[in-house]
């Protein structure tokens, strides 16, 4: 996937930097571990510090000193999951900030304007993310509204006067909205017919890539994978396919198998802070008593900084003592594991060895951990 900030090799995992930072990490550390792209969030950055503040600093890349690609979620999911007293109408969604209770209205046009000010490489359309479970009527209405909002987002793209300049890889240059890709978001819950209808409507409008939203929100994993499998044939190749918010290692492998290119999830960073550390045989729940005197690394054979220098026993001690270093080392390890898994997946695909790689990984990996 070619972006203004370089080529992104897929399949790719994007760690989440909702507020312009990957918690406990510097941008250079993330890139040194193998990070190619990150996900930031329009809702959070719109509320704090505000898109105009970021624009004045040259865009989000310059503001947070990240030279790789950035995807910005439109903020739709956060509006529906975090904000208070939502009022959804065809023109947009009115909500109260979860930070200070201030009132705002997100429209498709505003979602695009904010993302253009942020200067992300990939913008997402504003969508309505229905809860799981919900009624068929709610699902149909969410698909209808998401399609209409997607059409308005495409019309709004680059439609307003903006002569600002922003930094690209540290070099000042004229910003053009056409540099930013715009992805549509397929909705429809786990209803295969609604997913097909949503996908076909978005393809008719025409976008640079397509995302599957509204999954990993409580539905059974089998239903999620069946929905992915049923939806992807209705999306064009070679447009990138993005499965939003899905990030358990076994789900990534199974979704790659079905044709997904892009993933994002809070799992590796959030779980690092709560003591769940990932390895090739499954997650290690570091606070378990069995690790109290365990001198082995988190994941034997892992070459990350944490595994080269520290034991499970030490990591357990740091978490028990609530030391900041616990979050740092855990995040370094988890991101290294995720980036390595995706790199190994790309190599297996290139070599024509994907079926054997998938079988071997899933046979060794126990999602329940220990």
């Amino acid at each position: 996937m070619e972006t203004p900030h370089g080529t992104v090799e897929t399949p790719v995992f994007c760690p989440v930097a909702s507020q312009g930072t990957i918690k406990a990490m510097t941008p250079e550390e993330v890139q040194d571990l193998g990070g190619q792209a990150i996900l930031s969030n329009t809702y959070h950055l719109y509320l704090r510090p505000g898109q105009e503040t970021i624009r004045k600093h040259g865009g989000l890349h310059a503001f947070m000193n990240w030279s790789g690609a950035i995807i910005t979620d439109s903020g739709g999911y956060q509006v529906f999951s975090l904000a208070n007293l939502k009022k959804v109408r065809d023109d947009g969604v009115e909500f109260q900030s979860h930070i200070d209770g201030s009132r705002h209205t997100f429209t498709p046009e505003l979602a695009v304007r904010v993302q253009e000010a942020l200067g992300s490489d990939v913008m997402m359309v504003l969508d309505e993310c229905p809860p799981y479970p919900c009624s068929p009527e709610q699902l149909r209405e969410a698909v209808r509204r998401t399609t209409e909002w997607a059409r308005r987002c495409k019309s709004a793209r680059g439609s307003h006067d903006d002569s600002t300049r922003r930094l690209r890889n540290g070099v000042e240059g004229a910003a053009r909205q056409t540099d930013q890709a715009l992805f549509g978001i397929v909705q429809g819950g786990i209803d295969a017919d609604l997913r097909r209808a949503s996908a076909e409507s978005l393809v008719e409008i025409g976008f640079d890539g397509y995302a599957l939203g509204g999954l990993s929100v409580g539905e059974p994993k089998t239903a999620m994978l069946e929905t992915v499998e049923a939806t992807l044939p209705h999306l064009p190749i070679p447009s990138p396919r993005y499965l939003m918010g899905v990030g358990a290692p076994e789900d990534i492998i199974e979704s790659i198998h079905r044709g997904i290119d892009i993933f994002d999830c809070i799992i590796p960073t959030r779980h690092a802070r709560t003591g769940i550390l990932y390895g090739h045989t499954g997650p290690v729940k570091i606070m378990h008593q069995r690790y109290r005197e365990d001198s082995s690394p988190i994941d034997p054979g892992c070459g990350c900084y944490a595994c080269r220098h520290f034991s499970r026993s030490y990591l357990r001690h740091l978490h028990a003592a609530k030391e900041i270093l616990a979050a740092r080392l855990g995040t370094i390890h988890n991101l290294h594991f995720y980036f390595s898994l995706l790199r190994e997946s790309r190599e297996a695909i290139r070599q024509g060895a994907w079926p054997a790689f998938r079988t071997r990984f899933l046979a060794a990996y126990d999602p329940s951990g220990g």
Side-chain angles (χ1 to χ4, degrees):
M1 185 171 68
E2 298 296 336
T3 79
H5 291 85
T7 300
V8 175
E9 293 189 342
T10 63
V12 61
F13 178 81
C14 305
V16 175
S18 293
Q19 315 227 34
T21 177
I22 296 172
K23 289 180 172 57
M25 302 289 287
T26 68
E28 290 81 4
E29 287 172 329
V30 175
Q31 289 184 307
D32 288 346
L33 287 170
Q36 303 181 77
I38 62 173
L39 176 78
S40 288
N41 185 261
T42 301
Y43 170 87
H44 288 291
L45 296 174
Y46 162 81
L47 290 177
R48 184 174 56 194
Q51 73 272 17
E52 290 307 318
T53 294
I54 295 174
R55 186 204 298 270
K56 289 174 183 176
H57 283 81
L60 188 55
H61 290 86
F63 189 56
M64 66 175 291
N65 193 34
W66 173 259
S67 60
I70 297 177
I71 300 173
T72 44
D73 191 349
S74 67
Y77 176 79
Q78 284 69 29
V79 166
F80 290 100
S81 63
L82 293 179
N84 299 315
L85 301 176
K86 302 176 290 289
K87 292 183 180 179
V88 184
R89 303 184 298 267
D90 281 354
D91 62 329
V93 55
E94 183 182 343
F95 63 94
Q96 280 189 304
S97 164
H98 73 287
I99 298 172
D100 60 10
S102 56
R103 301 193 71 86
H104 305 268
T105 299
F106 253 27
T107 65
E109 292 77 14
L110 177 61
V112 169
R113 285 201 302 274
V114 173
Q115 291 179 86
E116 287 179 340
L118 297 177
S120 54
D121 299 271
V122 176
M123 304 183 291
M124 307 301 299
V125 300
L126 184 67
D127 63 323
E128 181 177 353
C129 184
Y132 177 88
C134 69
S135 69
E137 292 75 22
Q138 282 179 290
L139 273 182
R140 285 194 292 271
E141 185 68 3
V143 168
R144 181 195 66 79
R145 191 171 280 126
T146 292
T147 301
E148 179 56 30
W149 285 358
R151 185 176 287 109
R152 287 167 56 188
C153 282
K154 184 172 181 180
S155 296
R157 180 186 186 184
S159 63
H160 59 281
D161 181 32
D162 182 1
S163 60
T164 60
R165 299 169 69 83
R166 65 184 173 92
L167 298 179
R168 289 189 183 279
N169 290 319
V171 179
E172 189 174 9
R176 300 175 306 157
Q177 282 75 25
T178 53
D179 290 335
Q180 296 175 274
L182 180 65
F183 281 22
I185 303 179
V186 179
Q187 289 290 352
I190 58 174
D191 186 308
D193 290 335
L194 281 178
R195 286 281 175 176
R196 174 187 53 77
S198 178
E200 290 177 349
S201 296
L202 293 174
V203 171
E204 184 178 349
I205 297 169
F207 292 94
D208 301 302
Y210 298 87
L212 279 66
L215 292 173
S216 194
V217 292
E219 77 281 359
K221 285 194 176 188
T222 53
M224 179 193 75
L225 293 174
E226 287 169 359
T227 301
V228 170
E229 198 164 285
T231 305
L232 290 186
H234 304 289
L235 297 176
I237 294 174
S239 298
R241 290 101 163 268
Y242 171 20
L243 183 54
M244 304 181 77
V246 171
E250 69 275 17
D251 295 340
I252 289 176
I253 293 298
E254 289 290 41
S255 299
I256 291 173
H257 186 67
R258 287 159 172 80
I260 293 293
D261 302 298
I262 305 169
F263 302 87
D264 81 89
C265 194
I266 61 173
I267 281 179
T269 49
R270 177 175 289 182
H271 283 191
R273 301 192 301 276
T274 60
I276 300 177
L277 310 175
Y278 287 86
H280 284 83
T281 59
V284 173
K285 299 170 185 175
I286 201 68
M287 284 303 295
H288 197 289
Q289 185 67 20
R290 75 180 73 172
Y291 303 124
R292 185 181 182 89
E293 296 183 1
D294 190 337
S295 61
S296 58
I298 302 164
D299 185 18
C302 175
C304 80
Y305 174 81
C307 285
R308 291 200 316 270
H309 296 286
F310 304 103
S311 67
R312 293 175 176 177
S313 177
Y314 182 64
L315 267 293
R316 185 184 186 280
H317 158 67
L318 292 178
H319 276 278
K322 303 188 185 307
E323 286 288 344
I324 294 173
L325 187 57
R328 291 268 298 133
L329 294 178
T331 305
I332 288 170
H333 170 77
N334 279 356
L335 288 181
H336 181 275
F337 172 79
Y338 268 67
F339 294 153
S340 296
L341 179 62
L342 272 293
R343 184 174 60 250
E344 291 164 6
S345 296
R346 293 192 295 269
E347 188 59 29
I349 292 168
R350 273 193 287 263
Q351 293 181 358
W354 171 255
F357 175 83
R358 172 191 176 226
T359 299
R360 186 169 60 251
F361 176 84
L362 294 175
Y365 191 83
D366 177 6
S368 64

